C-alpha cells in the first residue's frame, strides 16, 4: 500500500471514531458502538502492519488542535497502546510530548479522552519521572470541583466518571506495576 493511500485510509477512519452519538435510542447507541469498535479494529489491523506510520499519524493528529481529530487520535491511541505496546515502546518520548502539549486543552471531550489515555499510559509504565508526576497532577486537578462549575451537573457527572475510571485503573494497574518495579529493589 502506498503511503498516500495509507494516509487517506487513516484520515477517513479517524472522524468515525469521533462521532458522538447523543441519541437516547438504544438501537442507535448499539449501532454507534459497533461501528466504533469495528473502526478501532481497522486501526489495529493497520497498526500491526504499519505500526510506526500509524503512531506518527495519530500523534500528529493530536497536535493539530482540531477537537474532532484530537479526540479521535486520543481514543485510538488509548485503544491501541496496550495492543501495540511492544511496537510502540521506543516511542514513549514522542507520546509523552504529545500528551504534554494537550494538558491545557479547554475541550471537555478532549480532556476526558486525554485523562483516559494517561491512565492507560500509567498502567503500561509510560509515566516516569517528572512527566509522570505532571500527568498524575493533571488527573487529580481535573477530578476536582471548582466554585465555577459547582452548579453544572453535566460537568460534575463527567468529572465523577473520569475520577472513578482513574481510581479503578490506578488501584489495579499502576500500583501493581509500581510494586513490581520498586518491590524488586
Amino acid at each position: 500500500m502506498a503511503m498516500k493511500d495509507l494516509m487517506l485510509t487513516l484520515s477517513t477512519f479517524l472522524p468515525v471514531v469521533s462521532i458522538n452519538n447523543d441519541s437516547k435510542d438504544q438501537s442507535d447507541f448499539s449501532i454507534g458502538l459497533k461501528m466504533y469498535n469495528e473502526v478501532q479494529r481497522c486501526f489495529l489491523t493497520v497498526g500491526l502492519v504499519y505500526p510506526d506510520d500509524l503512531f506518527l499519524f495519530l500523534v500528529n493528529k493530536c497536535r493539530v488542535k482540531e477537537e474532532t481529530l484530537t479526540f479521535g487520535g486520543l481514543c485510538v491511541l488509548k485503544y491501541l497502546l496496550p495492543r501495540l505496546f511492544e511496537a510502540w515502546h521506543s516511542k514513549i518520548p514522542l507520546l509523552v510530548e504529545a500528551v504534554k502539549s494537550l494538558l491545557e486543552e479547554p475541550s471537555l471531550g478532549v480532556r476526558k479522552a486525554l485523562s483516559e489515555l494517561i491512565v492507560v499510559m500509567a498502567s503500561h509504565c509510560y509515566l516516569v519521572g517528572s512527566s509522570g508526576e505532571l500527568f498524575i497532577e493533571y488527573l487529580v486537578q481535573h477530578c476536582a470541583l471548582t466554585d465555577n462549575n459547582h452548579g453544572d451537573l453535566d460537568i460534575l457527572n463527567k468529572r465523577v466518571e473520569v475520577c472513578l475510571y482513574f481510581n479503578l485503573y490506578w488501584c489495579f494497574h499502576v500500583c501493581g506495576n509500581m510494586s513490581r518495579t520498586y518491590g524488586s529493589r
Side-chain angles (χ1 to χ4, degrees), residues 121-125 172-183:
M121 290 170 64
S123 69
H124 287 82
C125 298
F172 292 110
H173 295 288
V174 178
C175 293
N177 286 338
M178 292 175 87
S179 67
R180 284 191 294 275
T181 302
Y182 296 113

Side-chain angles (χ1 to χ4, degrees), residues 81-120:
L81 189 62
R83 293 158 180 87
L84 298 174
F85 178 72
E86 288 183 27
W88 288 357
H89 186 70
S90 65
K91 300 187 180 342
I92 292 172
L94 287 173
L95 182 59
V96 167
E97 287 306 312
V99 170
K100 276 184 185 178
S101 73
L102 294 170
L103 293 178
E104 298 300 321
E105 181 65 38
S107 164
L108 188 60
V110 170
R111 289 192 331 226
K112 181 179 181 236
L114 182 62
S115 296
E116 291 173 356
L117 176 61
I118 290 171
V119 170
V120 171

Side-chain angles (χ1 to χ4, degrees), residues 108 111 115 136-150 152 155-164 166-167:
L108 188 60
R111 289 192 331 226
S115 296
I136 299 304
E137 182 179 318
Y138 173 85
L139 291 173
V140 170
Q141 285 177 347
H142 286 85
C143 286
L145 266 181
T146 64
D147 290 337
N148 295 340
N149 61 20
H150 184 66
D152 191 340
I155 290 175
L156 173 63
N157 287 335
K158 290 183 186 302
R159 286 182 181 230
V160 167
E161 182 181 330
V162 170
C163 288
L164 291 173
F166 167 70
N167 287 334

